[in-house]
Amino acid sequence: MSSFDTKLAVLLRDDLASWQRLNVTAFLVSGIAHVTPELMGEPYADADGTEYLPMFGQPVLVFSGTADVLTAAHGRALGRGLRISIFTDELFHTGNDADNRAAVREVPGEKLALAGLAVHGPKNAVDKILKGASLHH
């Protein structure tokens, strides 16, 4: 049984290529780490004393769903006032952060071609946001 009262989840569109799933997941969780530093654990060290960077102190659950499931999850997350990170199809064709933000800014929220999103919040709220998604395997 989990001792966390929050959930950290990534939702990926089910038609992404393997490299896209990995890339999108990495980008999405960086946004969560940025706005919720309290999720970060302590730095690691091996027996030789070599230090390593800290990671999240709780699991990151990865889900998948159709484009419709992502669109619905996006709306539910915003409706609940939860902050989310998003990755749209256009970001596969840009090469830097400024172009990424410009590509997202050009599209109204309800028309975003979502490849994925990440959310952190109370377990019950995140579960409701992810309705229709399945745990990625």
Side-chain angles (χ1 to χ4, degrees):
M1 182 165 175
S2 173
S3 62
F4 303 104
D5 55 357
T6 63
K7 186 177 272 190
L8 174 53
V10 173
L11 174 56
L12 303 172
R13 200 176 63 229
D14 60 7
D15 63 350
L16 298 179
S18 292
W19 73 267
Q20 290 173 316
R21 288 184 205 127
L22 296 169
N23 184 266
V24 171
T25 300
F27 274 102
L28 290 172
V29 296
S30 70
I32 299 294
H34 179 76
V35 299
T36 51
E38 67 275 12
L39 286 177
M40 299 306 294
E42 296 297 319
Y44 288 74
D46 63 25
D48 300 322
T50 303
E51 294 189 13
Y52 303 96
L53 296 173
M55 296 183 280
F56 287 123
Q58 75 178 76
V60 177
L61 301 171
V62 181
F63 295 82
S64 65
T66 64
D68 289 341
V69 167
L70 261 97
T71 298
H74 175 264
R76 287 191 290 264
L78 296 178
R80 291 181 175 276
L82 293 178
R83 296 175 71 186
I84 59 175
S85 54
I86 62 166
F87 195 104
T88 67
D89 285 347
E90 292 80 10
L91 305 188
F92 290 120
H93 307 290
T94 57
N96 61 71
D97 189 50
D99 289 342
N100 288 350
R101 287 192 318 274
V104 171
R105 193 177 311 111
E106 291 178 11
V107 182
E110 70 275 359
K111 293 187 179 184
L112 291 170
L114 296 168
L117 63 82
V119 61
H120 170 258
K123 277 185 187 177
N124 290 344
V126 173
D127 287 343
K128 289 176 183 173
I129 288 164
L130 298 174
K131 184 179 177 186
S134 57
L135 202 55
H136 192 280
H137 56 276

